[in-house]
Amino acid sequence: MSHTRNATHLSYRADGGGAVTLRAALLVIGTLLLQLGFITSYLGAFHHPTPHRVDLDVVAPTAQLRDRTAHQLDGLSGSPLDAHPVSDEAKATRRIKHRETDAALIVNPSGRTDRLLVAGAAGNSLAQATEQVVTAAERSAGRTVAATDIVPASSGDSRSLSSFYLVIGWCVGGYLCAAILAISAGARPASPRRAVIRLAVLALYSVLAGLGGAIIVGPVLGALPGSFPALWGLGALTVFAVGAATLALQALFGVLGIGLAILLVVVLGNPSSGGPYPYPLLPAFWRHIGPYLPPGAGTWTSRSIAYFQGNAVTWPLLVLAGWAVVGTLLTLLASAIRTRVHPDSPELLNPPAGRPRV
């Protein structure tokens, strides 16, 4: 009987060791940390949106009135506004449409009601928050304000969130495609040839994914206006940028690279993208990292294409291109170094039977 119990105990230990290896346990712990990071990042970014230095142009008939009003708005508690004197309404309107400022206050010296120009297409939550802050400031001065949305979102994009969801879909497709390509034959590309093939497949996938997203958001659903070819190109670049970065991380860190890609794109990138809450409403950490991550760069660009005639897209496009170029170079470099370090690796010379060569 004792011999039977000992054999059963050894069998359980053997089965448990095979089911949960040390490597698997570490990956599970990493997943837990990633999950907690997800919760922390989203709640940290979204639980208390507060305006911070929202760009506001101030227009008035005299320089003295412009300067005095801008100074008063700049001095509001908590610095919700960053006010700039502007000579005339036409210039302020142009600056809003070129995404150089967020809103404009048109002061009426002969009456008690001023006008506030906003751009709902740049983020409905930002337009509402700006109106609330300016309304409160005007009320304290015994004045009122009437808001006018000079760049409204389309009827199919009432909350100005279609750009955000479109870009998030492209980003998810990018890292999932890269993960599948890597897992199909080991997370680290065994040779430069395999790395090139994976990048080529990713490029083809990116073109198709960009086209599909542009078709769905435009002709199918009518959620976003703007240039169809421009949205298609943005989609292809976004998908490839995220996919190339994921391939690079996998080439450098193996399966851990998938988790790192999710950390950058999903855990940090999504809440800092400026989608649900534009940058001036986000806490400092997310406000500062958002423009440098693919979801933020893509969301800004897609809104500019849809509503602002493609203005102010140079920097975000450079960010996406940087992710694509650096990801591609690191993927090729890591595979070349591995080939040099392990030139006689059986996987390089003769991959296991049945394993895809991609």
Side-chain angles (χ1 to χ4, degrees):
M1 180 69 69
S2 175
H3 175 74
T4 301
R5 284 198 300 270
N6 289 337
T8 301
H9 178 68
L10 291 173
S11 175
Y12 285 153
R13 289 187 59 187
D15 289 343
V20 182
T21 63
L22 176 60
R23 180 170 179 268
L26 292 175
L27 289 174
V28 169
I29 293 172
T31 301
L32 175 62
L33 295 176
L34 199 63
Q35 172 190 322
L36 296 178
F38 181 96
I39 296 171
T40 302
S41 185
Y42 276 72
L43 290 179
F46 294 158
H47 80 287
H48 186 53
T50 303
H52 176 77
R53 300 191 67 79
V54 177
D55 282 321
L56 176 73
D57 286 355
V58 177
V59 178
T62 66
Q64 182 180 10
L65 181 57
R66 289 195 297 268
D67 293 341
R68 184 174 70 248
T69 304
H71 179 72
Q72 292 171 345
L73 293 173
D74 262 343
L76 294 176
S77 176
S79 300
L81 302 174
D82 185 9
H84 316 277
V86 172
S87 58
D88 56 68
E89 182 176 343
K91 182 177 180 180
T93 299
R94 183 171 62 253
R95 281 170 48 80
I96 292 174
K97 293 183 177 181
H98 282 76
R99 308 201 76 178
E100 296 171 2
T101 191
D102 297 312
L105 178 65
I106 315 300
V107 179
N108 178 15
S110 60
R112 308 296 296 177
T113 299
D114 300 326
R115 292 186 296 125
L116 179 67
L117 308 182
V118 297
N124 189 65
S125 56
L126 178 59
Q128 290 179 344
T130 304
E131 183 179 354
Q132 290 173 0
V133 171
V134 173
T135 298
E138 292 274 275
R139 185 184 302 116
S140 67
R143 302 181 65 84
T144 60
V145 64
T148 302
D149 191 346
I150 63 172
V151 190
S154 69
S155 59
D157 183 28
S158 60
R159 303 294 295 177
S160 189
L161 290 175
S162 296
S163 295
F164 167 69
Y165 290 121
L166 173 64
V167 170
I168 294 308
W170 279 331
C171 289
V172 169
Y175 70 72
L176 285 181
C177 177
I180 291 170
L181 289 173
I183 292 173
S184 67
R188 292 185 177 91
S191 68
R193 176 177 173 273
R194 281 192 190 175
V196 169
I197 292 174
R198 290 179 183 181
L199 288 166
V201 173
L202 175 64
L204 176 60
Y205 173 86
S206 300
V207 171
L208 295 176
L211 174 61
I215 290 174
I216 292 171
V217 81
V220 174
L221 297 179
L224 281 183
S227 168
F228 178 87
L231 285 174
W232 179 5
L234 171 64
L237 178 58
T238 302
V239 174
F240 187 81
V242 173
T246 304
L247 286 177
L249 290 170
Q250 291 167 334
L252 293 170
F253 303 106
V255 69
L256 179 61
I258 299 176
L260 293 175
I262 294 174
L263 174 65
L264 288 171
V265 177
V266 179
V267 175
L268 296 177
N270 287 3
S272 67
S273 67
Y277 295 110
Y279 298 136
L281 301 183
L282 295 176
F285 173 75
W286 290 268
R287 184 169 66 245
H288 292 317
I289 67 171
Y292 300 95
L293 296 174
T299 298
W300 177 278
T301 305
S302 62
R303 279 177 172 163
S304 289
I305 291 172
Y307 297 112
F308 297 90
Q309 292 78 50
N311 289 313
V313 299
T314 301
W315 172 251
L317 288 177
L318 287 175
V319 169
L320 291 172
W323 280 86
V325 171
V326 173
T328 298
L329 293 178
L330 286 178
T331 300
L332 295 174
L333 181 62
S335 62
I337 291 175
R338 189 178 184 201
T339 302
R340 179 170 295 183
V341 173
H342 304 287
D344 299 323
S345 170
E347 187 178 20
L348 287 170
L349 300 175
N350 186 25
R355 175 178 286 184
R357 290 179 175 268
V358 174

